[in-house]
Amino acid sequence: QLTMSLNSPNLLNEEKAQEAKRNTECLESLLQTPSSFQDNPLQQLQLASQEVLEKAKKSGRSKCPRCNSSRMFYCYTCFVPVETVPTTEIPTVKLPLKIDIIKHPNETDGKSTAVHAKLLAPDDVTIYKYPCIPKYEEKRHEIALVFPGPSSVSVKDIAFHLQKYTKKGVCASDDDCSREPLLKQAKIEPEEEKTSNECISSNRSEGTRLKKIIFIDSTWNQTNKIITDERLQGLLQIELKTRKTCFWRHQKGKPDTYLSTIEAIYYFLVDYHQEILKESYKGQYDNLLFFFSFMYTLIKDAKCCAGKE
C-alpha cells in the first residue's frame, strides 16, 4: 500500500495522458466517419437524411443567420439552423394539434431539447418563457397538460376525461353553444341540424376535441413553480408511463420514464395517433427526433470511445 501511494502521482499522470490520447483519437474518429453504434434504440426511426448534420459536424461551429452567435447545428435562442445547415435540408413535421411549451426561466437554453420541436414543426409549436404564458381557463375543455402526477391519465383516456368538462357544466346554455359548440356534443340529437359551421364540427369524434397540448420544459426540480401556477390549474393532466428516456442528461434519482421534452412530445403524438385518431402509425412524427437521434448517437459513441461505458 505504501509503495502504491508513493508511486500514485506517476500512475495518475500516465493514466491522464492515456485518457487524453484516447479522447483525442475518439473525437478525430467521430469527425471523420459516421457513427456505427450498434445498439442505438432510435435506429428504427424513419428519418430524413442526416447527411447535412454530418457535414456540419465536420465543419464545426457556425454562425446563426439572425444573431450571428456561434452555434452547432442550430441557434437555440433564435430557433433557426446555423449557416452550415440549410433550412431546405431540414425536415418539416405537420402535427395533428398545436403544442405550447412552457420553459422555465432558469433552464439553460443550450441544454434544452424543446427547440427541436420548434425547428421541426414551426407552424404548430410555440415556446413561452415562464411566467409569460397564456391563460387557458376558458379553453380547458380542449387543452391537456403532459405532466406526471396522482391525477394524471393515460393518452387513451383523454376523450373520456375531456367529456367530463361538459358534464361539469362548463357550457350550461344553448347560447353558449354558439360560443363553444364542442362542449354541447353530448346533447346534440341527430335531427338537430346546426346551420353554423362551428356547431356542425361538434358532431366529430370525441378524440378531435383536443386542440392543444402543453409541455413544461425544465429540470424536474424546477417544475413545482410552473405546475402550481393558477393559470394551469384545472387542466387535464396526461402521463406517459410506458416510455423510457434515451436522454444523455437524464437527472439522477428520477425514474427512466421521465422523458426529455422532445421525447415526451414525440411519444405523446405517437400514442395520440394510435389511441385517439385510431390510425396506424407509419413514422409520421419520427422526424421530430431528427436532431435528438443524431446527438444521441454522437454522444453515445464519444462515451464508448472514451471508455466511460
Side-chain angles (χ1 to χ4, degrees):
Q1 290 179 346
L2 180 61
T3 304
M4 289 180 65
S5 66
L6 289 173
N7 292 334
S8 58
N10 292 332
L11 291 173
L12 286 173
N13 289 336
E14 256 184 60
E15 289 176 358
K16 287 181 179 179
Q18 290 176 359
E19 183 178 356
K21 183 180 179 181
R22 282 199 306 270
N23 289 343
T24 301
E25 291 174 348
C26 176
L27 290 173
E28 287 177 353
S29 175
L30 287 172
L31 292 174
Q32 294 300 320
T33 58
S35 170
S36 58
F37 187 61
Q38 295 302 311
D39 59 345
N40 183 350
L42 305 174
Q43 63 186 349
Q44 301 302 320
L45 295 172
Q46 299 180 44
L47 299 172
S49 171
Q50 293 177 321
E51 184 179 356
V52 62
L53 300 183
E54 289 287 353
K55 290 179 180 178
K57 179 184 70 176
K58 292 176 181 178
S59 61
R61 298 170 72 89
S62 181
K63 286 185 178 181
C64 168
R66 292 186 183 176
C67 68
N68 290 322
S69 297
S70 176
R71 300 282 191 255
M72 193 70 179
F73 302 126
Y74 57 81
C75 180
Y76 44 75
T77 51
C78 299
F79 309 141
V80 294
V82 294
E83 292 177 346
T84 54
V85 182
T87 304
T88 54
E89 295 186 44
I90 300 300
T92 300
V93 184
K94 181 62 182 173
L95 307 185
L97 36 68
K98 299 297 182 182
I99 289 177
D100 280 2
I101 300 174
I102 300 175
K103 187 176 179 298
H104 193 283
N106 294 336
E107 175 71 1
T108 304
D109 291 338
K111 293 182 178 181
S112 172
T113 61
V115 62
H116 297 182
K118 183 62 178 176
L119 283 163
L120 298 163
D123 295 336
D124 297 316
V125 175
T126 304
I127 298 179
Y128 297 95
K129 181 169 286 190
Y130 187 84
C132 300
I133 65 173
K135 293 182 179 180
Y136 296 107
E137 183 179 0
E138 293 184 1
K139 296 287 186 178
R140 67 176 185 263
H141 59 285
E142 58 187 35
I143 298 175
L145 168 67
V146 173
F147 192 82
S151 60
S152 298
V153 304
S154 63
V155 174
K156 67 179 180 180
D157 293 327
I158 288 176
F160 172 76
H161 286 278
L162 282 181
Q163 178 68 16
K164 290 181 179 179
Y165 288 104
T166 301
K167 294 177 182 178
K168 287 181 179 178
V170 178
C171 177
S173 68
D174 289 338
D175 289 338
D176 289 335
C177 181
S178 62
R179 182 174 57 85
E180 296 290 351
L182 293 180
L183 291 175
K184 298 293 290 182
Q185 178 178 345
K187 296 183 179 181
I188 293 176
E189 299 297 329
E191 65 272 16
E192 291 179 18
E193 294 288 331
K194 303 292 181 180
T195 55
S196 87
N197 290 332
E198 287 185 330
C199 284
I200 289 174
S201 70
S202 66
N203 284 320
R204 296 176 182 174
S205 67
E206 289 185 4
T208 60
R209 286 171 176 268
L210 188 64
K211 299 293 183 65
K212 180 176 289 185
I213 189 76
I214 303 169
F215 295 85
I216 295 175
D217 184 52
S218 73
T219 64
W220 288 103
N221 293 330
Q222 295 171 340
T223 55
N224 188 62
K225 184 176 181 179
I226 296 178
I227 196 63
T228 56
D229 190 287
E230 61 180 5
R231 290 167 290 183
L232 299 181
Q233 301 312 300
L235 292 177
L236 178 64
Q237 287 185 209
I238 311 298
E239 184 170 2
L240 306 173
K241 300 178 181 179
T242 62
R243 311 291 189 173
K244 293 184 179 181
T245 185
C246 291
F247 194 35
W248 48 92
R249 292 194 183 97
H250 181 64
Q251 296 166 58
K252 293 181 179 179
K254 301 299 180 183
D256 57 7
T257 53
Y258 280 22
L259 308 170
S260 66
T261 302
I262 194 62
E263 287 177 300
I265 292 172
Y266 169 73
Y267 286 125
F268 170 83
L269 290 171
V270 172
D271 289 348
Y272 179 84
H273 193 85
Q274 296 173 318
E275 300 286 353
I276 302 300
L277 300 184
K278 302 296 183 183
E279 297 178 12
S280 60
Y281 184 70
K282 299 179 180 178
Q284 291 91 333
Y285 315 120
D286 282 10
N287 274 321
L288 285 175
L289 298 179
F290 180 76
F291 290 105
F292 183 90
S293 63
F294 186 83
M295 292 177 178
Y296 169 87
T297 304
L298 186 67
I299 293 169
K300 198 76 173 177
D301 279 347
K303 288 183 178 180
C304 287
C305 190
K308 292 182 179 180
E309 288 191 4

